[in-house]
Amino acid sequence: MPQQISESNMRISHRRGFILYIVITVLLGLAIMAFALNTFKTGAVTQLSRNVDQNRLALLAQSANAEVIAMLKSHVNLNPSSQIFTRFRSVFPTETNPNPTLPFTVDIIPVFEPQTTVQLAKVGYNLKIRSSAVLTVYRRSIYKSMSAYNGYIDIVSKAWREGAGEITMEAHERRDVRLVDLRHTLDKYALFVKNYSNDYNSTSPTPDPNPPDEYDNTIRRMIIEGVNGMGSHDVSRVFIGTDNYPDCADPRKDIFFDLFYPEHKDLKGFTEIFGGNQLASFPFAPETPTSYPVFNRLFYRSKNEFTNLGGVSVNMFIKNKQVMNEYERVINLAADACKVQAGVATEPYMVAGALKDKCGRSIAKLNNPNAYSQMMCQDFYDNADGDDYSACEEFKKLLVTCQQNWIYRWGYTDAASLWKIDLPGRAPRTITLPERYAGLSNISMGSGNYGPYMAEYREQKDGKPYNPERARVGAMQSFYGPDNDIPVLIEGKAYLRFFKLAYLDEFTATVPFVQPAPVNIRVITNTFLRKDKRDDAGSYLLEPLGVNLAPNLFGDSLMKSRAIDTLSANVLWGDKIKCYDGDGQEIEFDPLANPTSVIEKPAQPSGSNVAATRFGRAVDFKNASWNYISAQDFLDERAPGDGKLLYLDGFMYIMAGDLDLSKVTHFQGKGLIYIARGNCKLGSIERLNAKPTSDSLRIYLRQGDFIISSPDDEVFIEASLAALYDDPQGSDDPLQQGSIILNNRKLVKIYGNLLVDSLDLEVSGGSALADGGVLHIIHDPGIYNAAATLDSTELDPYHISIGPVKTSFAYRAGGEES
Amino acid sequence: MDNARWMVILSVVVSMMLTLTLLNRYARSQRPETPVVVEETSQAAAPRATEVRRPQVQRSSRGVIPTYHKVSFPKPAAHTFAVDQPKDAEKMKESLKVEGNIIR
């Protein structure tokens, strides 16, 4: 029995072990299945989570890039205190690094957390974003005169979720960048005109009916107002060219600026030239009638005895009318005296050969060799040859008397005192007609209605007019500002001009004839005679004297009345002018040191010899920040909306005009508009932002004109205007010359500068200034040197344009943020 | 002995809960990593780009030439003394035929 129980127990024990084994196995299987299921679910969720994260991170990285771009654009030109502003400008050459080696990179933003994007990101996850921007500069302008660079900026933004650094998303984009320094060598010119203009001596066809001073009536004017350097070496320049000078026989093809006493008397140069600035008149001999008109417009007057002049002899006066007339008068008296003594009737007044015959008849009637009257007649009868009395002994006595008694008087005056410069035709003033003052403007000596000065230069020689341009007298434009207190440096063949009136004064003296007799030699007008006529005329007027008649600075050693036109126009300023030479060295230009020397060519470095004709602004088109096929494209984009506000952005190239900016009233930004061909219409246009501001506008026309097109009579333009034909250069065709068409406006005020091929102020037909109009050019210090500091505002000469489109864009996912 | 063993286990569990609670709390209040900011001012606090320089239309100032009490000029940049030579003009004429002819 116990054995049976023992066997039974053993069977039960074996069965329990098997069940436990089964249960454990099942539990193990269930555990494996649960673990596998859990792992699978976790992977799917993680994958989904990563996808969401990546999308979100990509969006935020892109947002960060956009924020960086926005920040760059807002700071790069407008916020001088930002490091972005400074770092972009580090591209440009400095004194320590004048030629940076290309390509090079500049870290514009090394590491940066774009806060706006971060704020957006924090709504959900706790994300982290880092951005950076690197500028690569790879190209420089091919022209030395243009400081401009091409580059691109790479912006990289990396975003990741805090705590899950293994998931990162990096967005990279690249944009083109154009960097330009807008300064140019022509900026230093307030006015640059290549071609000859006959309007530099202004006149007015409609004079003021009630002038306070009849000489102060030149209302159609151009006024240049240079920059005020305030003691520095900065001074505005004016270039006056002579290209396309009218075809004429005159070897001198220069520009002459007529001095104008009312405006220039207080300038230092005026005193230097004339030794003072008081007006004077010629003194008269006691017997001169009190009714004789007084010419009181002399800046300098002097006298010298004829014997002291040197270079001329009294024998040069044997054909002089005054001397001959007086001698003929004496001989007629002697002949009449013979007749009276013989008791016969006298004969009429005769001259030359007829007088000789008259003397013969008188001698025959009197027949008394001891009579003084017959002796004089005999001398004339024996020695006179027609109207040549030089062999007559008594005539020689008269000449000796003249030599001993003649006083040569001369004085200097201006054109406005001699001619009616405020009336068409420039007729002589009435006061200048009497013989003392008639050397230039006498209308009764076979010179038409102009006087000898005008007539001589209008005369033909070798089939050409000699030089009618010299006859365009007037009053020079105002180059030293409305108050004559701002210096400018005038370049070009520009000479100051004023005039000399000269005569041999009348005298009464007793001539030791065989019967001494008083004679009165009247005033001998020293008329104007062209210098090239010296050999033909054989006149004392053209014989060089042994003395210099000029008081100072210039030379005058001819007896004739004449124009003094050998002094440089700069002499009028009369003081040293601090400036930079063509190499950029600080110098002091002393116009009085070499007063007859002009600065013929525009300033340029040593060794450079570029004619003014070839001056212009070469631009590298690859540096353009914007290119437009047409002016309309430009306007649509740069002057949107009502078209009254123009947005500038660096060097903007327009292939073809005409560009009509007449509706634009303001501009904002800084830029150069370069138009390859076509005109530019302008009305009043000025900066939008209050001055001082770095905003500036430069318009350059390569083949076109500026056309003032405004309903207003007074136009104000704040810009640098350049119309310099590039192809062809130096053309004599007015249609191929850049100019400004003033369109009959009363006042055109340019706050900038004006650079043109040709400039017409008084052209008839309404294309120039209106009657009494003024072209007033004020050289903007922000154009003269765009890096100026005005009051306490430091201007910025650079402009950086960041392209509106991405030239490259990429994402990079993964990685781990270290 | 059995009771003491359970007390030890219970105290270990309580200590762990306390430690984890504290860690969690301080971990949440920890400041994020301070970024290196390029600009001196916080970009979030800075005015918006459009507010930096808002145009001020002053139409009443038309034609007014400002009078500056103090004007100073730096030495002109070196390139402003360079003058284009005739060969430069020729070069530009050539480039005008290429870069100057924009193709829409």
Side-chain angles (χ1 to χ4, degrees), chain A residues 93-342:
Chain A
T94 59
E95 283 187 13
T96 53
N97 187 18
N99 291 306
T101 305
L102 297 174
F104 61 90
T105 58
V106 179
D107 282 341
I108 302 297
I109 301 176
V111 183
F112 170 68
E113 187 177 59
Q115 293 294 317
T116 307
T117 305
V118 167
Q119 292 298 321
L120 288 172
K122 278 189 174 175
V123 173
Y125 302 98
N126 189 14
L127 297 182
K128 292 194 138 188
I129 302 168
R130 295 288 184 276
S131 298
S132 63
V134 176
L135 173 68
T136 303
V137 181
Y138 63 89
R139 187 176 182 280
R140 188 192 189 282
S141 163
I142 56 173
Y143 305 112
K144 285 184 181 175
S145 64
M146 182 180 186
S147 181
Y149 292 87
N150 289 25
Y152 53 81
I153 189 160
D154 289 310
I155 300 145
V156 177
S157 291
K158 188 183 289 184
W160 72 97
R161 189 157 63 87
E162 194 173 22
E166 73 280 4
I167 305 170
T168 63
M169 183 59 73
E170 194 174 277
H172 163 263
E173 71 175 70
R174 176 176 289 182
R175 288 174 188 247
D176 275 344
V177 177
R178 298 286 183 267
L179 308 97
V180 62
D181 181 342
L182 288 164
R183 290 173 289 183
H184 188 261
T185 190
L186 289 172
D187 290 345
K188 55 178 167 273
Y189 289 91
L191 175 70
F192 191 101
V193 184
K194 289 184 180 180
N195 284 348
Y196 162 82
S197 169
N198 59 21
D199 294 339
Y200 292 127
N201 293 318
S202 69
T203 63
S204 173
T206 53
D208 186 345
N210 296 304
D213 177 351
E214 66 169 320
Y215 299 104
D216 188 7
N217 187 23
T218 47
I219 49 181
R220 183 202 292 251
R221 305 302 301 274
M222 177 173 71
I223 303 170
I224 306 293
E225 203 171 331
V227 294
N228 189 345
M230 295 191 174
S232 69
H233 284 76
D234 293 280
V235 64
S236 297
R237 291 170 182 257
V238 170
F239 181 80
I240 303 294
T242 52
D243 283 358
N244 290 310
Y245 201 91
D247 190 21
C248 62
D250 190 353
R252 276 191 73 183
K253 294 177 173 59
D254 300 330
I255 300 285
F256 304 104
F257 290 162
D258 281 332
L259 194 73
F260 187 47
Y261 180 80
E263 281 188 9
H264 302 140
K265 62 184 168 61
D266 294 326
L267 280 168
K268 197 174 175 186
F270 190 95
T271 304
E272 292 287 343
I273 296 169
F274 301 110
N277 66 353
Q278 299 299 309
L279 291 175
S281 56
F282 287 119
F284 297 147
E287 59 271 24
T288 309
T290 54
S291 60
Y292 196 89
V294 178
F295 181 81
N296 58 2
R297 303 280 302 175
L298 298 175
F299 316 144
Y300 172 86
R301 66 169 187 192
S302 190
K303 66 174 182 177
N304 206 340
E305 293 177 8
F306 182 82
T307 49
N308 294 334
L309 293 177
V312 289
S313 75
V314 76
N315 292 331
M316 294 175 175
F317 291 81
I318 55 177
K319 288 284 187 180
N320 182 270
K321 290 294 179 189
Q322 270 83 343
V323 179
M324 289 171 67
N325 288 348
E326 191 62 10
Y327 183 55
E328 286 160 353
R329 184 186 68 80
V330 170
I331 297 301
N332 269 290
L333 284 174
D336 290 346
C338 289
K339 288 286 185 77
V340 170
Q341 287 177 35

Side-chain angles (χ1 to χ4, degrees), chain A residues 536-555:
Chain A
D536 296 334
S539 168
Y540 69 95
L541 294 169
L542 297 175
E543 288 301 314
L545 302 176
V547 294
N548 183 12
L549 304 172
N552 202 357
L553 297 179
F554 60 96

Side-chain angles (χ1 to χ4, degrees), chain A residues 350-525:
Chain A
M350 295 177 183
V351 299
L355 180 58
K356 185 174 183 174
D357 295 340
K358 180 179 174 180
C359 285
R361 290 190 292 275
S362 297
I363 293 166
K365 286 290 180 188
L366 182 59
N367 195 21
N368 179 4
N370 295 323
Y372 291 132
S373 55
Q374 184 172 329
M375 288 180 186
M376 293 189 70
C377 288
Q378 192 67 51
D379 175 45
F380 189 84
Y381 184 77
D382 292 343
N383 298 313
D385 180 11
D387 62 353
D388 182 0
Y389 313 141
S390 58
C392 302
E393 294 300 325
E394 299 303 294
F395 186 69
K396 291 175 184 173
K397 292 176 184 173
L398 176 60
L399 287 177
V400 170
T401 304
C402 287
Q403 187 178 21
Q404 292 168 346
N405 288 274
W406 262 333
I407 299 294
Y408 176 72
R409 296 187 188 278
W410 75 99
Y412 300 102
T413 187
D414 59 12
S417 303
L418 297 170
W419 292 281
K420 296 173 182 171
I421 63 168
D422 50 357
L423 291 173
R426 296 167 164 96
R429 291 190 183 278
T430 310
I431 185 69
T432 64
L433 298 182
E435 64 274 357
R436 280 178 172 78
Y437 324 128
L440 298 166
S441 56
N442 187 354
I443 60 172
S444 61
M445 296 176 71
S447 55
N449 290 325
Y450 302 107
Y453 180 78
M454 304 285 188
E456 288 279 302
Y457 283 125
R458 286 165 187 261
E459 208 171 65
Q460 294 277 321
K461 183 183 179 185
D462 303 331
K464 299 174 183 174
Y466 192 79
N467 192 348
E469 310 313 312
R470 289 198 189 227
R472 294 181 190 275
V473 294
M476 67 183 276
Q477 310 297 347
S478 294
F479 288 94
Y480 303 121
D483 298 324
N484 268 331
D485 58 351
I486 303 172
V488 293
L489 204 55
I490 300 173
E491 298 173 342
K493 294 193 281 184
Y495 292 88
L496 191 66
R497 182 170 63 180
F498 49 92
F499 294 88
K500 181 179 84 169
L501 292 180
Y503 60 92
L504 284 166
D505 209 352
E506 68 176 324
F507 70 90
T508 301
T510 299
V511 181
F513 296 126
V514 289
Q515 172 64 52
V519 295
N520 174 252
I521 301 295
R522 293 174 57 79
V523 168
I524 296 177
T525 309

Side-chain angles (χ1 to χ4, degrees), chain B residues 18-78:
Chain B
L18 186 66
T19 305
L20 288 171
T21 305
L22 288 171
L23 280 173
N24 190 40
R25 181 176 177 181
Y26 284 108
R28 282 189 179 178
S29 63
Q30 188 182 6
R31 290 169 63 84
E33 185 187 339
T34 307
V36 179
V37 179
V38 173
E39 297 305 316
E40 296 298 328
T41 56
S42 164
Q43 296 302 305
R48 290 170 64 85
T50 53
E51 293 171 348
V52 173
R53 283 272 296 246
R54 180 166 289 166
Q56 296 172 7
V57 179
Q58 295 190 349
R59 293 183 188 277
S60 59
S61 70
R62 290 180 72 89
V64 172
I65 306 298
T67 303
Y68 300 115
H69 301 292
K70 189 178 178 187
V71 178
S72 63
F73 298 102
K75 187 169 182 183

